[in-house]
Amino acid sequence: MNLRGGGGRRSRRGILATVLVIGIAAAVIAAAVGSGRGSRNAEISKGIEFLKAQESKDPKEVEQVLTEQKKEKMKAERAEMQKKLEDGTIDVWSLFGDSVIMGDSRAVGFYTYEFLPQSRVLAEAGNTIANILDHEDELVQLNPTSLFLCYGLNDISIGLWSTKEDYVKEYASILDELHKKLPNTSIFVNSIIPAQQAAINSTPVWGNIPEWSEAVHKMVKEKGYGWVDVDGLVREHQDLYDPDSIHVQKDFYPLWATQMMLSVYDEQQAGEQGSEQVVSSSAGDSAASESVTGTSEGVGTLS
């Protein structure tokens, strides 16, 4: 899309102001269309007043206002999505589609409780991250949209890695190999579900789970993979642990699945926001050469 001034070059600031005003106008129109006829005129008038008020402002100030408005909108949309998932308006299991879950005995519950088909849950009791690449060919064949990894319990207790640093280093290598083989798959790592005190009393190394999980989280964030924070759920639902104090009951799995899907939603929103920023930056940088071209790659939408 070219933005050319009829009487000569536009300044970078002028271009940005134009783009921002268009954005505001679009928001105003959208709001008006969604309202009843009685309130539509009032919304339009209010919008016109808002636009007039922005004319004398620095484009950066206007951009900041729009950014804050978008953040609030995204927060409200996420809350609505979470509500629909939790009350069953949206069937969380239907959202997994061609996704794959991998993990240990905790992940096995996704298919033993018949929430998902076993062909989409590559998990076995006793598994660690060392078993992930055993399924490499199968994963390539499945080519999932999203891949969720649920490991950590055995990784810490078996003793294959003497320190969390060694563990994180190998985990990072495995994630990179997965990304290499599955370039179009979004990879999400679940936080390591902690053991309750009764289990820690019998196997003290499980007391290190929060520390190891945080080390994994830091690595995942640095490398740009997705993260599913399950800690809040287990703190809120201590009653959903099995008597062994390390596994979780059937009722925990829908909550866990909801958290996974919200993480996918957050990732999509972050991707869309990043694309918009790239387009905005490209528009500003290209203004000096008389034309502005913005492109963005679409991402899938959780619906």
Side-chain angles (χ1 to χ4, degrees), residues 49-78:
E49 292 177 8
F50 178 79
L51 289 172
K52 287 181 178 179
Q54 309 313 307
E55 290 178 356
S56 60
K57 292 185 178 181
D58 187 289
K60 290 184 177 179
E61 293 181 19
V62 180
E63 185 175 15
Q64 181 62 32
V65 171
L66 289 174
T67 299
E68 291 303 317
Q69 288 179 347
K70 184 169 181 63
K71 285 181 179 179
E72 289 302 313
K73 180 182 177 184
M74 289 172 63
K75 188 185 299 183
E77 288 176 347
R78 187 188 191 279

Side-chain angles (χ1 to χ4, degrees), residues 77-78 81 261-269 302:
E77 288 176 347
R78 187 188 191 279
M81 170 63 70
M261 283 300 111
L262 286 173
S263 297
V264 173
Y265 181 84
D266 291 340
E267 190 84 355
Q268 289 176 344
Q269 294 302 307
L302 185 68

Side-chain angles (χ1 to χ4, degrees), residues 197-212:
Q197 191 58 50
I200 295 173
N201 291 341
S202 63
T203 309
V205 291
W206 281 336
N208 297 328
I209 287 179
E211 184 182 345
W212 283 50

